Structures are given as C-alpha cells and as structure tokens.
Amino acid sequence: TGQTPQDFIRKKRVENASRLLYHSDQSIKQISDECGFNDRYYFTRVFSREMGVSPARYRKNLLLNRI
C-alpha cells in the first residue's frame, strides 16, 4: 500500500471518525475516544491533516449541506 501500518491504522480511524461525525450526535471527544485516540487535541490535529479541515468544521459543513 506504500504506507506504514501506523499510517494505515490512523487513516482508518479518521475514516471511521468522519462517518461518526456525519451519522451521530456524539461529541468530538466521544468520537475521538471511540476511534482510538487518547487525546481529543491530537485527534483534531490528525483529522485536520488527513481531511484538510477540523472535525468541528467538517461536521458543520456536513450539516449545512444537509439542509
């Protein structure tokens, strides 16, 4: 796959988090915990790097697009 196992796992965790941000009302802290991130702030940094936007902005954009 051209990536380390750690990178692969991190990417899968972010993909799972993006689904939860869309389909659940859980807080970002709850989602970060559920996806295996021990620290909400680390989760936000990783998510932002992978997705190009913070989890809060990602969720807000999704909500705006639903209307």
Side-chain angles (χ1 to χ4, degrees):
T1 63
Q3 58 188 347
T4 67
Q6 289 173 330
D7 289 339
F8 178 80
I9 291 168
R10 191 176 310 120
K11 184 174 182 174
K12 291 299 179 186
R13 287 178 175 171
V14 169
E15 288 173 4
N16 188 36
S18 67
R19 281 191 294 277
L20 289 172
L21 287 165
Y22 182 78
H23 293 291
S24 79
D25 293 333
Q26 292 178 313
S27 71
I28 292 172
K29 169 73 171 120
Q30 289 170 318
I31 291 172
S32 70
D33 290 343
E34 187 170 329
C35 293
F37 292 93
N38 295 329
D39 180 348
R40 176 188 181 272
Y41 301 102
Y42 175 67
F43 165 67
T44 298
R45 283 194 312 271
V46 170
F47 189 94
S48 297
R49 186 175 47 226
E50 288 287 328
M51 302 299 285
V53 65
S54 71
R57 176 64 66 180
Y58 182 84
R59 178 177 265 170
K60 183 177 181 181
N61 289 345
L62 289 173
L63 291 174
L64 290 174
N65 290 331
R66 282 187 196 174
I67 298 173

